[in-house]
Amino acid sequence: MRQILELLERDAQLSHDTLATMTGIPVAEVSAAIAAWESSGAIRRYKAVVDWDAVDGDSTAETVTAFIDVSLAPARGVGFDDVAERIARFPEVRSVYLVSGSQDLRCTVEGRTIRAVSDFVSQKLSTIDRVRATATHFVLKTYKRDGDSFATPEADHRLPVTP
Amino acid sequence: MRPLNPVIAACPPSGIRRFFDIAAEMDDVISLGVGEPDFVTPWRIREAGIYALEHGYTTYTSNAGLPRLRELICDDLATRYGATYDPREECLITTGVSEGLDLVLRVLLEPGDEVIVPEPCYVAYEPCVGFAGGTPVRVPTRWEDDFAIDADVVAAAITPRTKAILIGSPANPTGAVQPRAALDALVRLAREHDLYLVSDEIYDRLTYDGAHTCLGTLAPERTVLLGGFSKAHAMTGWRVGWICAPQAVAELCVRVHQYTMLCAPHVSQLAAVEALSGPDDDVDAMVADYDRRRRVFVKGLREIGLDCPEPGGAFYAFPSIRSSGLDSETFAERLLHAESVAVVPGNVFGPSGEGHIRCSYATALPQLEEALVRIARFLNAG
């Protein structure tokens, strides 16, 4: 059954029939398992992996991404959790991790423009109580994201018919 | 001019070549004719090759190949199959199984010796026997038997000149895996008649319905084992393989190899060291992927009306096209022209392949699905 999740993680568009053929699990069981995962939240949702740089002629499609390191003053009883959860609620924030090292949180923030991201950091993020400092790193180019390479795929160099 | 070597002059060019020439001229061809993985070599192996180049490993190696690589190969065979080969005396590195096959046939055969070759089989088997001065003796296998080798049929072909039996399992072009009982029967025959067994196991890691049986564990005293990195590690272009054989055979193989090839490419050998040193996740992931495509493709072939024996290994399906009323060549040629799908006609692998086509499923799933649509349209139009 784990195989089905791994396959869907790579390609969510595989039909239940194809998944059944690939795994040798009866299609009814495949459908039931997927329905169960969807309702339990094991499968949160399905989405496309978009390379915005490859979307031609649509300047509004561009997004600016920044990694923001945040250092915090911890509070008795809650540690960093309350602030981290508060930061995570902003829709601009794509990810929040508590990390080891000199900083405490590493966040990913997305916006339409550099200005929008800067405004978010200076007006929203740094003004939260117990945020001591932030360091913003704008992404210049994405090479790989979540296991998906954004480089030009390697060409198939094979001859059309070989022994 | 004086005549050229008649054995070579009489050897027809590979039947695959003609289809390559046609397909290469066409656009929008979906090729199911490719006998190599659609994966590129895993990055960690390529990176090791780059490192080797950067650090100047551009020299010869010892004739038999890097000791470290031979150790890794013998360890791998021991772990995987329980085979016991001495890396110093019973193993050498070749430029692919192709060279290995040539070496071993030259070492085994005296002029006029016969080699029994169950077919359909890989296109090089019969020519290489001929080039080595031997005579290939074809033995048919039938798709009704899943291309299992029938020891009685083999026995009937044995003469006082028979020196060896040459088999490939899992097989190109059929995808067939020889059942254990068939291998046991061949071993009995070989012992009874004192024959060598030349076993091409290049597809050993690509089995889907059970573990591979290594002939080197059943009859180590008379088996010459051929293997390599091309298929499991997607390393076809690196040209690196190996021979494991009884010491007397391996020693003479090295002797021919040292004068004809000298050694396998150094960089390729170092990449192969990495292939066997690292974790096996790459291979497992590729095998799992082939298996999924195999299931989808074979089911699809059957759904469009082509009988297809279950291919237990390699990455080929070998469906029957008899229901079309066409012979293999006509079918393949018309399919290519009408629907731009390239397959290889089964008869190029031996007369028992007539009535079949070889379809490689080492192709992305959407391409396989589109190929099925096109083949179905071709069948309905016929």
Side-chain angles (χ1 to χ4, degrees), chain A residues 93-154:
Chain A
V93 175
R94 310 296 297 183
S95 63
V96 181
Y97 303 100
L98 179 65
V99 295
S100 61
S102 57
Q103 310 286 316
D104 300 310
L105 297 181
R106 166 150 290 197
C107 312
T108 318
V109 172
E110 265 181 23
R112 280 284 162 77
T113 59
I114 290 183
R115 178 69 182 272
V117 174
S118 308
D119 286 353
F120 173 77
V121 175
S122 59
Q123 289 167 28
K124 299 281 190 338
L125 203 56
S126 10
T127 56
I128 293 172
D129 277 352
R130 289 168 40 223
V131 169
R132 289 201 293 220
T134 62
T136 303
H137 311 274
F138 283 103
V139 171
L140 304 179
K141 184 174 177 182
T142 303
Y143 295 95
K144 192 176 185 184
R145 190 175 74 210
D146 294 341
D148 290 300
S149 173
F150 283 63
T152 311
E154 287 170 324

Side-chain angles (χ1 to χ4, degrees), chain B residues 84-291:
Chain B
T84 49
Y85 286 103
D86 179 346
R88 285 161 304 171
E89 299 199 308
E90 298 177 320
C91 178
L92 68 142
I93 310 302
T94 59
T95 52
V97 167
S98 295
E99 191 216 352
L101 180 66
D102 181 43
L103 288 183
V104 77
L105 290 171
R106 286 205 252 179
V107 165
L108 294 184
L109 300 184
E110 298 168 75
D113 278 352
E114 293 173 357
V115 177
I116 292 178
V117 185
E119 52 85 25
C121 64
Y122 183 56
V123 292
Y125 291 174
E126 289 188 31
C128 283
V129 171
F131 296 160
T135 307
V137 177
R138 288 174 183 157
V139 165
T141 59
R142 303 173 342 127
W143 75 287
E144 292 87 344
D145 307 327
D146 287 335
F147 298 105
I149 297 168
D150 182 337
D152 292 337
V153 180
V154 174
I158 293 174
T159 74
R161 298 306 318 257
T162 306
K163 193 71 156 288
I165 304 171
L166 168 52
I167 67 164
S169 174
N172 176 1
T174 59
V177 173
Q178 290 303 320
R180 176 63 190 263
L183 295 176
D184 284 335
L186 281 181
V187 166
R188 277 197 299 275
L189 264 187
R191 288 197 169 128
E192 190 181 328
H193 296 274
D194 193 19
L195 307 176
Y196 288 98
L197 293 165
V198 180
S199 188
D200 172 0
E201 301 187 14
I202 184 68
Y203 291 100
D204 67 334
R205 301 293 302 277
L206 275 53
T207 58
Y208 309 110
D209 297 326
H212 173 75
T213 301
C214 173
L215 254 186
T217 60
L218 301 187
E221 82 285 0
R222 62 189 61 253
T223 296
V224 179
L225 197 57
L226 302 173
F229 298 84
S230 294
K231 312 301 176 175
H233 298 277
M235 290 179 69
T236 46
W238 297 81
R239 308 311 303 131
V240 55
W242 46 261
I243 297 173
C244 281
Q247 184 269 337
V249 176
E251 186 185 341
L252 292 197
C253 286
V254 174
R255 205 166 300 169
V256 180
H257 177 72
Q258 73 182 353
Y259 291 123
T260 54
M261 190 62 69
L262 217 161
C263 67
H266 198 159
V267 166
S268 300
Q269 291 191 56
L270 286 167
V273 166
E274 172 59 33
L276 289 184
S277 307
D280 241 5
D281 305 7
D282 301 324
V283 179
D284 293 342
M286 287 192 274
V287 172
D289 215 64
Y290 289 134
D291 185 25

